[in-house]
Amino acid sequence: SRRVVSGPPPRPDLPAPRSLLAMTNYGAWDKKAEALCKEADEDDEQEKQKNDEALGLQDGPQGPPTQNAMKQREEMGVHSDKRADFIAKQEAKEVVLEHSAAAEPIIVSATECGDKAVRLRGSVDVTYQFPKDLSLIKLYVEKCKNVKIQLGCFIKTSFVEINHSSDVEVRIDNIVSTLQCDECSEGPVRIIFLEPEGVGTFFHQNCPSLEVLLPGQAEPVRFGRAGEQQLCSRPDSNSGFSTEAVVRGEKDFPVNLGSSKPTGSATEPEAEKPPTSEERRAQAEVKRAEGNEAFRASDFLQAAVYYTEAIGYCEDLHLAWANRAQCFLKTGQPEKALEDATRCTELAPDYAKGWFRKGMALHALERYGKAIPAFCEAEKLDPKNPQIPDAIKMAQLKCRTKGPGDMS
């Protein structure tokens, strides 16, 4: 049998044991300790974030290339915001009208279009009336067919543009100093001036059926012509128009208007000579210079547009190909950058930047094995450039850690 041994009976003159008064709540102490540790960890993390921000390391350790790229991205964001604001303001000042098969004339009201630029876009078989009490900024006629326009209103800029339209008739009962007509090759474009003082200057390109009817004349004057050359036609002293080819210089500003004799009569302008290769190269250099200005302002998209225009003038201008490749690298388009840089190396094999940008494009495409030879070729041509050895080392490192990539 089991014997139970009991202690002495409690004495009433002594205090009860501690375990009988209250048990220690170890669970509560654990929760308290855990909360204190969590709070300490959060304080440490906040302190670390403050230190990283002070050192510019909030996104992790970064070398100069990454820092420069982030700075340029921020600058591009600012430019993009400014461009978006500009476009929004311009759109707020414009009204687009589009109608088709209207039996009655459409009267353009000041409530809808007053003090705005009006674009008639894609209208077919319509007559528009712009009354005298209306004031516009500009008038554009785009991609319209069989449209008649009665223009009696005041245009602040005194400017009307017609493009990619056919069978258009504009009756002008006010002063329009400049009319531009481009790519209207499918049908006639007739401008009728109701007042002699309202006759302005025409800039036109590839509009073979452009004709103008002056006050007091029974037959219109035809001076339009097909072709890529832009022409300028102005009223002369013989109730006709004199026409000359437009030559543009820096900033696309016409440099010959008013300084040379017209190329021919109003009815049969003399066929202009195509620009020489030297002239086209000069025009290309002007566009490339504009691209350089846009690039320096971190407006890489606009710079690419200018470089594209330069290439259009002179396809063997290797600098434009190299410059556009750099724009594509800046805007995250390495495939296009590789195409342009490759073309640059074909045109100018001794141009180091062409090879360097080819290497950068291949590196961005993770084709490190192909990037190294391109960088090495650039180093041969420009051995004093400190960027090239760094690029070679980086490509070699990537080759070892990630592999050479596509070697085709």
Side-chain angles (χ1 to χ4, degrees), residues 333-404:
Q333 303 177 79
E335 296 89 354
K336 292 183 178 180
L338 178 58
E339 292 178 3
D340 280 12
T342 301
R343 181 58 178 152
C344 176
T345 59
E346 293 170 350
L347 292 170
D350 57 347
Y351 183 58
K353 287 185 178 180
W355 290 102
F356 183 74
R357 283 165 191 168
K358 181 177 181 179
M360 293 297 292
L362 289 164
H363 192 282
L365 292 169
E366 299 185 355
R367 298 173 62 182
Y368 309 115
K370 298 286 286 185
I372 294 172
F375 287 139
C376 290
E377 189 66 29
E379 188 177 37
K380 291 179 185 177
L381 297 168
D382 188 8
K384 295 183 180 180
N385 189 332
Q387 289 182 308
I388 301 177
D390 292 341
I392 294 174
K393 292 176 183 177
M394 181 59 70
Q396 291 172 337
L397 175 62
K398 292 290 186 179
C399 249
R400 289 195 297 269
T401 56
K402 291 189 174 183

Side-chain angles (χ1 to χ4, degrees), residues 139 141 151 155 157-163 168-172 174-182 189-193 198-205 207 210-212 214 223 230-235 241 248:
L139 175 63
V141 183
L151 193 61
I155 300 180
T157 58
S158 194
F159 180 89
V160 173
E161 178 180 336
I162 305 171
N163 64 77
V168 172
E169 179 182 287
V170 183
R171 301 175 67 90
I172 300 175
N174 215 315
I175 297 176
V176 176
S177 61
T178 304
L179 297 97
Q180 183 168 337
C181 191
D182 297 321
V189 175
R190 173 177 285 195
I191 311 297
I192 303 173
F193 289 98
V199 181
T201 300
F202 286 81
F203 290 89
H204 52 102
Q205 181 261 327
C207 298
L210 175 62
E211 56 186 36
V212 177
L214 300 176
F223 50 76
Q230 187 181 40
L231 304 173
C232 174
S233 299
R234 291 174 288 192
F241 281 80
R248 297 184 179 275

Side-chain angles (χ1 to χ4, degrees), residues 225 231-232 242-245 256 260-265 268-272:
R225 187 174 56 222
L231 304 173
C232 174
S242 59
T243 300
E244 62 179 317
N256 67 317
S260 62
K261 295 181 180 181
T263 60
S265 64
E268 295 183 2
E270 180 183 340
E272 80 282 359

Side-chain angles (χ1 to χ4, degrees), residues 18 35 66 100 109 126 134 153 173 282 300 351 363 365 392 404:
R18 178 180 178 85
T66 305
S100 61
S109 67
V126 179
L134 177 64
C153 68
D173 192 15
F300 305 122
Y351 183 58
H363 192 282
L365 292 169
I392 294 174

